Amino acid sequence: MTFARPLAIALTLVLQAAVLVPPSGAAPLRLELTQGVIEPMPYALPTFIAENPAGAKAATDISQVIADDLTGTGLFRQIPATAFISKVSSFDAPVQYADWKAINAQALITGAVSVQGDKVVVKFRLFDVFSGAPMGEGLQFVGPVTTWRRMGHKVADAVYSRITGEGGYFDSRVVFVSESGPKAQRQMRLGLMDYDGANTTYLTDNSSIVLAPRFSPDGKRIIYVSYKSGFPHIYVMDMATLQQQQLDDQPGTMTFAPRFSPDGRSAVFSLEQAGNTDLYSIDLASGTARRLTNAPSIETAPSYSPDGSKIVFESDRSGEQQIYVMSAGGGEPTRISFGAGKYATPVWSPRGDLIAFTKQNDGRFYIGVMKTDGSEERLLTASFLDEGPTWAPNGRVIMFTREAAGADSAPQIYSVDISGRNLKRVPTDGPASDPAWGPLLP
Amino acid sequence: MLNFNKALLLVAALGLAACNNPNRYANGGAGANGMGGAGGAGGISSQGLGDASNPASVAYFNQSVGDRVLFLEDQSTLTPEAQQILTAQAQWLNKYPDYAIIVEGHADERGTREYNIALGARRAGTVQEFLVSQGVRAGRIKTISYGKERPVATCDDESCWSQNRRAVTVLSQGLNG
């Protein structure tokens, strides 16, 4: 489908914040990114119509999920229903654009929900109000009633994607470490939740320390560290069966800091032997391991580039933690971090353009991003303890662990967008750390 | 399965903290169930620490010889004080060769998680190397790192962090030959 005046938010990386330029006359709507303060795009989302009585609750709930997703980005602002002039009485009724223009709604999202047995059907349409035209085709999603939140996320992803031109990230999940108990004796277990903290389930019990869960690229497995043998070792869990398998490694070693390769066939990790930690990769099918670094310093926190050709990692070979990039097969690394302080936990963006990291300087911790050559470093957050960034599937948002000072403090998960705006806590069931964002669900 | 005596002694060997908190590392530590046990998950175990007046006991080792050494920030080199403690540990361990040894490396909370595991491992490795240099048989010693996951002091200043940057020599009886 084509449009004369497409509704579009142009998102570019180099600029810091976005300003909405209101449409004048026939000019296309754009969200230009400038140094100014963001003015979120106003949208109207009349509560989706229940097409049968059984769908009434789902219609209300799904509408709320969509609104929470969109408004939660900080890029959109929902116009309250009390301001509406038009009432949407049926999904196929013609849109009264003038009524939505009058309240300055720039996007209009309409939809309908029905529940038949254990199935829920969700339909939606998106309209560019000032162009007076639909934006993309109407879409319908059908699935089990239990997945109603995912239906809302799917609609919100489609809306976000059409307006920004970027991939969405709402219909995705996050694995994390759920923590409980006093600081000196934290109980840990692996948790799995929707990106917004809903639908939390637990993948392990809390009988062993578990750390650093990370999704495979297809989201079907996670790789993580458990102390269940008594010593830290890496395991791979099948998400469908929850079966766990220990990675083969040599006795008398510790293994940690695992991450899948982009093709999911191998993993890179740290292996410690006699006090020294180096990087290895392992072919997951054959168990064949390959040593990638061989230095008396600590080499850890490796992460592949999305094309699988490079690995970014941290090393203290210079005397303190700094970030290096090397070929995925090993070889001489290039240092890319040069600012004041220590740089740790580098993670390559799924878009390939940026590396997120933890920085430690002068008693404060920061989450930041830099280009893959180390240039254009930008710090997004600062606190007593921020660490461990993970990327949203579209490379626009980062989650990380934040812990306040104090003997009674506990870690929490926060998110921030890569402009440094929209910092907020992800509502987890309890203390949580080490988030790892999975792929957009199919 | 679980060698119960071994597990008990391991827990008993955890040091003074174990007096008040026998289940300290039940969440998967080598101390609690690393030697092959399902020890402790949820249950409270209790056991004697041995008689501290008995110079062959773990309690004596912990209290009179000293079971731990401390490190400077982001360092794994042994201070003169640490070398003194480890020298005494080695003498004691050489005198009582039946104890198996796990050296636990720990880091303070002012670092990132994965680096701190590596740093704790480096500290444990340094202690292991020193003990071996003092004649302790290498085959008796295993090392583990808990990174920053098991602090002993939880305030947020140097007075606590300095206690957490440690390597603890944890003993268990019954080396099988």
Side-chain angles (χ1 to χ4, degrees):
Chain A
M1 247 177 137
T2 57
F3 306 101
R5 291 166 297 170
L7 177 69
I9 297 178
L11 293 176
T12 63
L13 275 178
V14 288
L15 299 170
Q16 299 273 328
V19 165
L20 184 67
V21 180
S24 56
L29 184 65
R30 296 191 84 77
L31 197 58
E32 300 280 359
L33 296 174
T34 73
Q35 295 291 333
V37 176
I38 178 114
E39 179 64 38
M41 173 185 284
Y43 70 96
L45 176 80
T47 299
F48 280 16
I49 293 159
E51 292 196 315
N52 64 4
K57 184 170 190 315
T60 306
D61 292 346
I62 289 170
S63 302
Q64 190 61 51
V65 167
I66 299 165
D68 289 346
D69 283 347
L70 294 174
T71 305
T73 63
L75 298 171
F76 302 93
R77 175 171 63 79
Q78 187 180 19
I79 297 171
T82 50
F84 293 174
I85 299 165
S86 264
K87 183 168 162 42
V88 177
S89 51
S90 104
F91 183 64
D92 293 316
V95 170
Q96 305 301 315
Y97 289 106
D99 289 351
W100 301 107
K101 263 185 212 173
I103 60 169
N104 198 33
Q106 308 205 5
L108 169 68
I109 304 155
T110 65
V113 175
S114 62
V115 170
Q116 283 133 15
D118 59 359
K119 291 267 185 249
V120 60
V121 180
V122 181
K123 299 186 282 193
F124 87 98
R125 287 199 178 101
L126 173 64
F127 300 93
D128 176 350
V129 170
F130 283 80
S131 297
M135 195 175 183
E137 290 181 281
L139 273 184
Q140 173 173 295
F141 301 107
V142 182
V145 171
T146 50
T147 63
W148 65 270
R149 289 191 68 88
R150 288 196 54 201
M151 300 291 189
H153 293 320
K154 287 230 174 274
V155 172
D157 275 325
V159 169
Y160 175 96
S161 186
R162 288 176 189 187
I163 294 178
T164 65
E166 306 279 335
Y169 61 89
F170 308 122
D171 188 24
S172 62
R173 300 189 297 183
V174 173
V175 285
F176 63 99
V177 174
S178 162
E179 303 197 15
S180 59
K183 233 179 195 174
Q185 202 187 353
R186 279 280 156 71
Q187 305 282 300
M188 295 163 163
R189 55 183 169 163
L190 293 184
L192 173 69
M193 64 182 178
D194 295 352
Y195 98 100
D196 57 3
N199 290 324
T200 299
T201 56
Y202 298 98
L203 307 173
T204 65
D205 64 20
N206 61 8
S207 61
S208 303
I209 293 173
V210 283
L211 300 170
R214 279 95 191 231
F215 273 109
S216 63
D218 63 5
K220 292 179 177 167
R221 292 168 294 163
I222 55 167
I223 193 164
Y224 65 102
V225 173
S226 170
Y227 279 60
K228 73 178 181 183
S229 72
F231 296 85
H233 285 291
I234 295 170
Y235 296 80
V236 175
M237 181 187 287
D238 182 286
M239 297 298 276
T241 63
L242 302 189
Q243 281 190 336
Q244 305 154 30
Q245 195 178 356
Q246 188 180 339
L247 221 61
D248 280 339
D249 51 38
Q250 305 155 47
T253 66
M254 292 177 240
T255 51
F256 53 99
R259 265 182 214 280
F260 282 101
S261 63
D263 66 8
R265 290 197 197 124
S266 56
V268 61
F269 61 97
S270 279
L271 183 146
E272 179 274 349
Q273 194 159 27
N276 182 40
T277 296
D278 272 301
L279 297 179
Y280 289 71
S281 64
I282 186 166
D283 182 284
L284 293 168
S286 69
T288 307
R290 173 175 183 179
R291 186 170 191 156
L292 303 178
T293 64
N294 194 343
S297 44
I298 288 171
E299 277 70 39
T300 192
S303 166
Y304 281 98
S305 61
D307 67 2
S309 69
K310 295 193 177 83
I311 291 170
V312 64
F313 64 99
E314 62 171 84
S315 167
D316 68 351
R317 61 184 63 193
S318 73
E320 63 179 9
Q321 290 160 277
Q322 297 291 342
I323 297 175
Y324 295 78
V325 174
M326 68 177 175
S327 160
E332 196 54 37
T334 305
R335 177 171 164 179
I336 64 163
S337 63
F338 291 96
K342 300 173 186 174
Y343 289 79
T345 74
V347 190
W348 217 299
S349 153
R351 301 163 64 96
D353 55 346
L354 294 173
I355 287 166
F357 57 85
T358 305
K359 174 168 170 153
Q360 190 181 348
N361 192 29
D362 245 356
R364 300 274 287 172
F365 282 71
Y366 308 84
I367 301 296
V369 293
M370 57 174 62
K371 294 181 94 170
T372 59
D373 62 0
S375 65
E376 297 185 29
E377 172 182 328
R378 284 187 284 133
L379 299 180
L380 309 179
T381 74
S383 88
F384 175 75
L385 179 60
D386 283 352
E387 72 168 292
T390 181
W391 290 95
N394 72 350
R396 291 293 180 191
V397 181
I398 285 170
M399 276 189 200
F400 61 96
T401 306
R402 170 169 286 185
E403 186 160 351
D408 298 327
S409 69
Q412 297 181 316
I413 296 176
Y414 276 74
S415 69
V416 66
D417 74 30
I418 56 167
S419 67
R421 289 182 305 106
N422 209 32
L423 174 71
K424 56 187 182 178
R425 191 172 86 79
V426 178
T428 51
D429 277 355
S433 62
D434 269 6
W437 215 317
L440 208 54
L441 294 169
Chain B
M1 236 207 68
L2 174 63
N3 180 333
F4 196 57
N5 286 330
K6 196 180 278 183
L8 286 185
L9 282 161
L10 271 169
V11 174
L14 283 170
L16 294 174
C19 294
N20 299 323
N21 201 347
N23 208 21
R24 181 160 77 107
Y25 285 176
N27 192 0
N33 58 8
M35 299 297 277
I44 295 178
S45 55
S46 67
Q47 55 276 314
L49 284 166
D51 181 354
S53 63
N54 171 6
S57 72
V58 169
Y60 181 92
F61 176 82
N62 291 346
Q63 292 170 30
S64 300
V65 179
D67 67 344
R68 66 195 59 199
V69 295
L70 304 181
F71 295 86
L72 297 173
E73 190 183 337
D74 204 3
Q75 296 295 316
S76 56
T77 47
L78 298 170
T79 63
E81 191 189 355
Q83 293 190 24
Q84 211 175 338
I85 292 168
L86 292 176
T87 303
Q89 282 190 6
Q91 285 166 359
W92 191 94
L93 291 165
N94 288 334
K95 196 166 171 187
Y96 302 104
D98 284 345
Y99 288 100
I101 303 155
I102 292 178
V103 179
E104 293 177 358
H106 297 267
D108 69 30
E109 71 193 84
R110 305 308 288 160
T112 47
R113 213 166 214 175
E114 291 175 339
Y115 178 79
N116 276 353
I117 293 176
L119 179 59
R122 189 190 261 169
R123 286 171 175 163
T126 304
V127 167
Q128 177 182 34
E129 196 179 322
F130 188 90
L131 292 176
V132 169
S133 78
Q134 299 297 304
V136 181
R137 189 165 59 81
R140 292 172 69 187
I141 310 176
K142 287 182 174 172
T143 59
I144 185 171
S145 174
Y146 287 95
K148 62 173 172 176
E149 311 308 323
R150 287 292 178 262
V152 285
T154 56
C155 70
D156 54 40
D157 59 45
E158 177 59 21
S159 69
C160 286
W161 301 335
S162 62
Q163 297 175 60
N164 294 334
R165 296 190 297 262
R166 68 200 192 277
V168 184
T169 304
V170 179
L171 306 183
S172 61
Q173 207 154 29
L175 267 188
N176 304 320

